[in-house]
Amino acid sequence: MKTWITWIVAMLAVLSTWAQAGSLKVVTDKEQILIGEQIEMTVELRGASADSFRLPSIGDTLRKEIEVLSRTEPDTSYEGANLEQKVLRQSYTITSFDSGYFPVKPLVGYINSQPVASNAFLVGVQTLKIDTAKGIADIKDIEQVPFAWQEWLQETWHWFVLAMAAAGLITWLVLYLSKEKTAAAPEVVIPSRPAHEIALERIVLLREEELWQKGKIKTYYSELTDILREFIEHRFAIPALEQTTDEIVSSMARYPDFSEEERLSVKRLLFLADLVKFAKEKPVGQENETHLATVESFVQSFVPTPESPEKAASHV
């Protein structure tokens, strides 16, 4: 009985010593390759489950002739009935572009800060054998790849979207500018009655309403400038009802019918009306009647008379 117990204790001691010692092994899927081919290399570090591990530090090369192309993340697993063994693995893809046989020195890992060396291994790299009797030829014939619409769209869809957006923007600009151009030249409808008759009638009615006397300054100047704008539009075919003050004055400057004094008079009145409507300007007393008289005088100056046939007859 004692003999069996002694034997079991001895075996456990051996196993414990083996587990604690640990091992580092390097395995490759092939020993020889053609130049430029790849080798899968696995580094495996074994030890006790409670040990601390550190795999070999491998850079971009194993030696100057052997390059490391890629590597996986380290993977940890446990083995044994009681998971008493820990295994740490990491895989690498290596290659070489030099022909020859290249021995790789043992790699060094660490278990509990103690170095553990791996096995050395040999990488053989061969070049293609060239049959000089056949001359130089391509390694492989050129293959015709069918056009793939899906791949083309995946690579160029953003250019397609930009082209569609640009086409849409150009179309919108053309339509918008065409609309603006049409709106910039509204049709002027000339009434059947003379423009001065309509304007003078409206002036009489405005004077009788006594709007400014009742404190309705904005309404008064809105009516007054409307009479002036309507007269200019119907008498001279200038779209004054649709234009701003500056646009009306600019249009008048192109007509020989208006004197400089008449243009300035219209400009001052329209500008004052804008101030009344938008800047709360409040002309007082006789000033309001003076502006009405100015419009009346302006209209009267274009009433046809035998003494001024040219000025009266133009642009009717």
Side-chain angles (χ1 to χ4, degrees), residues 136-147:
I136 299 175
D138 291 334
I139 297 175
K140 192 174 183 181
D141 291 336
I142 298 175
E143 293 185 4
Q144 298 295 330
V145 179
F147 185 78

Side-chain angles (χ1 to χ4, degrees), residues 179-193:
K179 183 179 179 181
E180 287 293 311
K181 185 176 180 181
T182 303
E187 182 181 358
V188 177
V189 179
I190 306 299
S192 57
R193 293 176 59 198

Side-chain angles (χ1 to χ4, degrees), residues 124-162:
V125 183
Q126 298 178 354
T127 58
L128 290 171
K129 294 181 179 180
I130 300 175
D131 187 351
T132 56
K134 294 183 179 180
I136 299 175
D138 291 334
I139 297 175
K140 192 174 183 181
D141 291 336
I142 298 175
E143 293 185 4
Q144 298 295 330
V145 179
F147 185 78
W149 282 102
Q150 185 176 2
E151 293 181 5
W152 180 81
L153 286 174
Q154 288 177 350
E155 295 178 358
T156 61
W157 66 267
H158 51 285
W159 295 111
F160 181 75
V161 171
L162 286 174

Side-chain angles (χ1 to χ4, degrees), residues 145-251:
V145 179
F147 185 78
W149 282 102
Q150 185 176 2
E151 293 181 5
W152 180 81
L153 286 174
Q154 288 177 350
E155 295 178 358
T156 61
W157 66 267
H158 51 285
W159 295 111
F160 181 75
V161 171
L162 286 174
M164 293 295 292
L169 179 60
I170 292 171
T171 302
W172 179 83
L173 284 173
V174 170
L175 294 176
Y176 178 79
L177 292 175
S178 299
K179 183 179 179 181
E180 287 293 311
K181 185 176 180 181
T182 303
E187 182 181 358
V188 177
V189 179
I190 306 299
S192 57
R193 293 176 59 198
H196 66 276
E197 290 183 7
I198 299 173
L200 292 174
E201 286 179 5
R202 292 187 63 185
I203 289 171
V204 172
L205 292 175
L206 180 59
R207 181 176 284 117
E208 291 175 352
E209 288 183 86
E210 297 184 347
L211 292 175
W212 69 266
Q213 292 91 335
K214 298 174 183 177
K216 299 179 180 180
I217 301 296
K218 283 188 178 181
T219 305
Y220 176 76
Y221 278 94
S222 179
E223 289 287 336
L224 183 60
T225 54
D226 189 59
I227 293 170
L228 178 60
R229 288 170 179 267
E230 185 181 82
F231 174 73
I232 293 173
E233 179 164 315
H234 293 167
R235 180 66 174 79
F236 302 99
I238 296 174
L241 290 171
E242 306 293 335
Q243 291 181 334
T244 64
T245 297
D246 290 337
E247 288 172 342
I248 292 172
V249 175
S250 297
S251 297

Side-chain angles (χ1 to χ4, degrees), residues 62-77:
L62 293 178
R63 53 180 290 164
K64 67 178 183 178
E65 297 88 358
I66 302 176
E67 300 180 15
V68 177
L69 301 178
S70 63
R71 68 195 71 204
T72 64
E73 292 294 325
D75 176 67
T76 303
S77 61

Side-chain angles (χ1 to χ4, degrees), residues 255-268:
Y255 285 75
D257 306 77
F258 304 106
S259 65
E260 182 67 23
E261 182 180 353
E262 287 170 337
R263 287 196 297 270
L264 291 176
S265 177
V266 170
K267 181 178 181 180
R268 283 194 295 266

